[in-house]
Amino acid sequence: MRMTGVIRLLVLLATLLGSWFIVQTYFERSGRAISLRSWLGATSEPMSTPPQPRHKCANKRDCPADHFAFRIISGAANVVGPSICFEDRILMSTVKNNIGRGLNIALVNGKSGQLLKVGSFDMYSGDVTQLETFLQEIKDGTIMLVATYDDAATKMNNKVRALFSALGSRYANQLGFRDNWVFLGAKGLKGKSPFEEHIKNDQKTNKYEGWPELLEMEGCAPRKQD
């Protein structure tokens, strides 16, 4: 019994010495205590990701001081409506309840960026003369932003196509049934606008059954100079 007690005491001492050695080895390095996080393998504190800068209209970059930021998103099929943003202000959207099937158009002052007028024109069963009047009344220096939704071409006639072309469009003459189109033009623009995208309704390439994928365009439109 006495021998058994001695053996137990020796085992206890060995255990204590082993524990002390582990503590000294892992929790002290060069006389400096380390944290449990470091001991578990995290050698440094996690670096926080700096917040990303937010640009107007959620664009990828800022615009120069003499330019306006814009983003135009066409409708998706006949389900999701279009959206038009200008200088970080939503001009037309489903939430604002001012969009509709066909052509959705916002007019802004080319010098101040102030919203002048918005219009939604049903190009499938509406009266196209209302669109003709709207386009003919646009004054010089006005910037126009256009987004399609569902069908924007069934009622479009040659007069309307010519009016859009005069505002800088390259694709108005090609617009067909259920094509998607986004466009920024201006009255008095010399030449064609660089801000325009068009995608044909093609059963072979459509993303949605009967409709092409939506279009999204962002950019910096130059401010009208005196």
Side-chain angles (χ1 to χ4, degrees):
M1 293 295 293
R2 184 173 298 177
M3 183 61 67
T4 302
V6 172
I7 292 172
R8 288 179 176 175
L9 179 60
L10 291 174
V11 171
L12 178 60
L13 288 173
T15 302
L16 291 173
L17 287 171
S19 299
W20 177 84
F21 177 77
I22 291 173
V23 169
Q24 288 295 105
T25 301
Y26 289 94
F27 289 89
E28 291 186 8
R29 291 178 183 173
S30 302
R32 176 170 58 88
I34 64 173
S35 67
L36 181 60
R37 175 186 291 273
S38 177
W39 180 64
L40 291 175
T43 57
S44 62
E45 294 295 323
M47 297 182 64
S48 59
T49 303
Q52 296 297 316
R54 184 191 179 281
H55 307 301
K56 292 180 179 179
C57 292
N59 287 355
K60 295 182 178 67
R61 63 185 180 90
D62 280 332
C63 292
D66 57 345
H67 288 66
F68 297 116
F70 72 89
R71 176 185 288 264
I72 309 173
I73 306 174
S74 73
N78 61 348
V79 179
V80 180
S83 174
I84 297 177
C85 176
F86 191 83
E87 277 296 281
D88 217 23
R89 179 185 176 188
I90 300 298
L91 305 183
M92 302 187 76
S93 70
T94 301
V95 174
K96 294 185 73 70
N97 196 31
N98 61 354
I99 55 96
R101 176 177 66 179
L103 288 171
N104 297 275
I105 305 174
L107 304 180
V108 298
N109 185 295
K111 291 181 63 177
S112 67
Q114 178 183 3
L115 177 65
L116 301 175
K117 186 188 299 185
V118 297
S120 178
F121 303 92
D122 185 345
M123 300 300 290
Y124 183 76
S125 59
D127 182 1
V128 72
T129 60
Q130 296 179 6
L131 176 59
E132 292 175 2
T133 301
F134 183 91
L135 296 177
Q136 288 172 332
E137 292 178 349
I138 297 176
K139 297 180 180 179
D140 281 348
T142 299
I143 295 174
M144 179 178 65
L145 303 95
V146 183
T148 59
Y149 182 28
D150 191 3
D151 173 45
T154 296
K155 286 296 186 85
M156 187 173 286
N157 56 30
N158 291 335
K159 183 176 181 179
V160 167
R161 294 179 191 274
L163 288 168
F164 277 121
S165 295
L167 291 161
S169 173
R170 294 167 293 165
Y171 296 116
N173 287 325
Q174 305 173 29
L175 198 65
F177 177 67
R178 286 184 177 174
D179 288 0
N180 266 342
W181 180 45
V182 289
F183 169 58
L184 182 146
K187 184 66 175 291
L189 180 69
K190 297 180 180 179
K192 296 301 180 183
S193 169
F195 306 117
E196 185 175 24
E197 293 186 16
H198 170 241
I199 184 170
K200 294 292 292 182
N201 168 25
D202 187 334
Q203 291 295 333
K204 296 179 181 179
T205 59
N206 283 348
K207 183 173 182 178
Y208 312 107
E209 184 178 353
W211 290 269
E213 64 181 318
L214 65 80
L215 290 174
E216 185 170 356
M217 178 177 67
E218 66 177 61
C220 301
R223 186 187 301 268
K224 185 180 184 301
Q225 304 297 324
D226 291 329

